[in-house]
């Protein structure tokens, strides 16, 4: 991959992104070009079942149609500009450039049975969490539904084709089995585009991944948690808690001043009652900040009555940040205390630390 990146031409930027359109709209486009509607189905299949990277690849479509489409439409809303594979060859991180020059990250984690993709929902983020690398640059803009879906299709294409570089440890062809919205951005702050993308990704006629295999992670925008509970598809909910009380949480997660811990836990309770699904609380352990046994007890007492699971995340160190990861021994002790309250608790595996795969770090490393 070259380090010289040409920005797309004005003409390319003006083309409509096909991935932003639903099947009815794609059908209008195709019939508007004088073609029968079944061609739209074929085009849809090329996009979402065969992961075509461009119109040229769609060889069952008449060449004239492909050429007409390419004049006004595009499939390429993002371009990989840097890829890094971990030493264990089990994590692949990609920095993508969007058509307006913004950059976002996505990470593929290859486990024994799962191929989990961590994708971004915004270029940057407005939430300002003090320990997060993405927060440092602020929000550039929301991603479109097409840009969210395109991240998934990029990796689906990679996993489907053993010839595509880079080589990783997993045998290909294989498929994306899980998606987490835990990349850059706050998905609830870009609600409509994120849900449009989620419907496309779970639609059996489109990408067709089971909703239960997708998790949306939020900093805790309470009205949007209530809205998600009404959506009627079984996307998993993760809430970034990181602290059990308001004084501490407000110092780490500024949005806590708007939606405090009690309000957030109430919303989580409503969500579990409405959906009958358990909520995951994420808790990034930071040495001397939020990792004491007292805080573990405070947390345990506050959430023991909830249908929930706690995922303890070892902090990814961010350069120039005062926060340091908690030791393994203190992490294990914190987990044990939560378990003593009957709370199911796991410690997330560290992945991709050495490739800056955590939390906005590749973008930051390349900019440095
Ligand atoms: N905005 C959403 C999703 C993106 S971040 C959210 O806040 O949930 C995904 C998870 O990574 C969140 O739990 C976030 O708090 C956490 N995170 C951010 N920076 C981190 C860091 N340096 N180390 C570990 N986890 C971090």
């Amino acid at each position: 991959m070259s380090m010289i990146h040409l920005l797309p031409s004005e003409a390319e930027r003006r083309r409509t992104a096909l991935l932003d359109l639903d099947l009815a709209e794609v059908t209008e486009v195709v019939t508007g070009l004088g073609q029968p509607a079944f061609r739209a189905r074929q085009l849809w299949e090329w996009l979402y079942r065969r992961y075509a990277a461009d119109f040229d690849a769609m060889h069952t479509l008449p060449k004239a149609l492909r050429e007409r489409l390419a004049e006004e439409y595009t499939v390429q809303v993002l371009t990989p500009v840097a890829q890094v594979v971990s030493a264990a060859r089990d994590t692949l991180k990609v920095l993508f450039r969007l058509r307006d020059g913004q950059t976002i990250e996505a990470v593929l984690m290859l486990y024994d049975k799962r191929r989990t993709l961590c994708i971004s929902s915004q270029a940057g983020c407005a939430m300002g969490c003090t320990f997060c690398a993405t927060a440092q640059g602020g929000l550039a803009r929301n991603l479109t539904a097409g840009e969210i879906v395109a991240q998934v299709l990029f990796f689906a294409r990679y996993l489907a084709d053993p010839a595509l570089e880079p080589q990783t440890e997993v045998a290909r062809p294989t498929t994306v089995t899980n998606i987490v919205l835990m990349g850059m951005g706050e998905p609830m702050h870009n609600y409509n585009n994120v849900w449009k993308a989620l419907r496309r990704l779970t639609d059996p006629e489109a990408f067709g991944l089971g909703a239960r295999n997708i998790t949306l992670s939020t900093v805790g925008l309470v009205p949007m948690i209530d809205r998600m509970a009404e959506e009627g598809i079984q996307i998993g909910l993760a809430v970034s808690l990181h602290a059990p009380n308001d004084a501490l949480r407000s110092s780490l997660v500024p949005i806590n001043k708007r939606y405090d811990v009690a309000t957030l836990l109430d919303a989580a309770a409503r969500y579990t009652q409405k959906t009958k699904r358990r909520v995951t609380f994420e808790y990034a352990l930071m040495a001397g900040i939020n990792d004491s046994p007292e805080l573990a007890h405070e947390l345990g007492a506050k959430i023991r009555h909830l249908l929930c699971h706690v995922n303890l995340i070892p902090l990814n160190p961010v350069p120039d940040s005062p926060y340091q990861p908690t030791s393994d021994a203190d992490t294990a002790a914190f987990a044990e205390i939560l378990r003593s309250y009957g709370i199911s608790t796991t410690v997330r595996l560290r992945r991709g630390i050495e490739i800056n795969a955590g939390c906005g770090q590749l973008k930051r490393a390349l900019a440095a």
Side-chain angles (χ1 to χ4, degrees):
M1 205 161 299
S2 149
M3 282 305 287
I4 300 167
H5 306 303
L6 290 176
L7 286 178
S9 65
E10 261 312 297
E12 172 58 19
R13 285 183 58 174
R14 268 200 307 271
R15 292 191 179 104
T16 302
L18 265 192
L19 298 178
D20 281 330
L21 308 186
D22 62 25
L23 180 57
E25 290 165 328
V26 168
T27 306
E28 263 175 48
V29 167
V30 168
T31 52
L33 292 173
Q35 294 281 330
F38 79 88
R39 295 285 183 208
R41 284 251 164 214
Q42 285 182 314
L43 174 53
W44 194 253
E45 268 198 44
W46 275 112
L47 293 174
Y48 296 107
R49 314 297 298 190
R50 305 177 75 170
Y51 325 131
D54 51 42
F55 293 113
D56 282 347
M58 305 180 182
H59 57 76
T60 58
L61 296 180
K63 192 150 191 289
L65 173 61
R66 283 185 270 151
E67 284 170 0
R68 284 287 277 121
L69 284 167
E71 284 166 19
E72 283 174 59
Y73 299 92
T74 185
V75 182
Q76 285 155 321
V77 291
L78 40 83
T79 312
V81 291
Q83 305 195 37
V84 195
V85 183
S86 64
R89 292 181 167 268
D90 59 4
T91 305
L92 167 62
K93 173 150 194 160
V94 178
L95 184 74
F96 293 107
R97 194 201 56 223
L98 309 177
R99 287 193 292 167
D100 64 353
Q102 292 294 336
T103 50
I104 56 161
E105 304 174 348
V107 185
L108 176 65
M109 288 158 285
L110 303 162
Y111 302 95
D112 283 350
K113 297 215 172 69
R114 284 175 296 139
R115 271 77 56 197
T116 300
L117 185 52
C118 174
I119 59 172
S120 294
S121 57
Q122 297 179 311
C125 185
M127 297 298 124
C129 299
T130 51
F131 53 89
C132 175
T134 303
Q136 295 174 357
L139 176 66
R141 68 169 171 86
N142 282 332
L143 299 191
T144 63
E147 287 166 336
I148 297 167
V149 169
Q151 296 168 63
V152 177
L153 297 178
F154 174 88
F155 287 97
R157 188 178 305 132
Y158 167 76
L159 289 174
D161 183 351
L164 286 177
E165 291 296 332
Q167 292 306 319
T168 41
E169 71 153 18
V170 73
R172 289 181 281 157
T174 179
T175 54
V176 174
T177 63
N178 296 77
I179 297 173
V180 294
L181 279 145
M182 295 186 186
M184 303 172 88
E186 168 49 43
M188 297 290 203
H189 192 212
N190 182 19
Y191 194 93
N192 290 341
N193 292 348
V194 162
W195 277 85
K196 191 172 170 189
L198 289 174
R199 292 194 179 278
R200 189 77 40 80
L201 292 171
T202 53
D203 179 354
E205 305 261 282
F207 190 69
L209 184 64
R212 285 173 169 273
N213 298 333
I214 305 180
T215 300
L216 184 157
S217 175
T218 179
V219 71
L221 302 187
V222 164
M224 300 297 137
I225 293 175
D226 287 326
R227 196 167 157 194
M228 174 166 168
E230 302 291 331
E231 290 287 346
I233 51 174
Q234 302 268 316
I235 304 284
L237 174 67
V239 173
S240 297
L241 198 54
H242 306 313
N245 61 61
D246 288 325
L248 181 57
R249 190 165 191 267
S250 294
S251 74
L252 300 172
V253 179
I255 199 75
N256 190 72
K257 293 175 200 136
R258 176 122 37 110
Y259 306 109
D260 63 17
V261 172
T263 307
L264 180 56
L265 295 182
D266 281 352
R270 283 195 298 279
Y271 176 86
T272 59
Q273 281 150 18
K274 175 92 197 168
T275 62
K276 311 283 181 257
R277 295 207 64 190
R278 79 179 182 178
V279 55
T280 297
F281 291 114
E282 291 158 282
Y283 198 108
L285 285 164
M286 302 171 223
I289 304 283
N290 66 351
D291 64 346
S292 70
E294 294 73 30
L295 288 168
H297 283 290
E298 190 179 348
L299 178 63
K302 281 193 183 172
I303 63 172
R304 67 188 310 173
H305 63 284
L306 281 172
L307 182 60
C308 72
H309 171 90
V310 172
N311 197 0
L312 297 174
I313 312 174
L315 187 78
N316 287 311
V318 175
D320 308 326
S321 153
Y323 302 114
Q324 292 303 319
T326 295
S327 69
D328 289 349
D330 288 350
T331 301
F334 199 95
E336 266 323 299
I337 294 171
L338 292 180
R339 289 187 191 118
S340 77
Y341 285 81
I343 298 162
S344 114
T345 305
T346 48
V347 179
R348 187 187 289 171
L349 284 177
R350 272 172 183 273
R351 278 294 180 115
I353 290 288
E354 82 280 15
I355 61 167
N356 289 314
C359 315
Q361 295 171 347
L362 179 62
K363 176 173 169 140
R364 206 168 176 272
L366 287 180

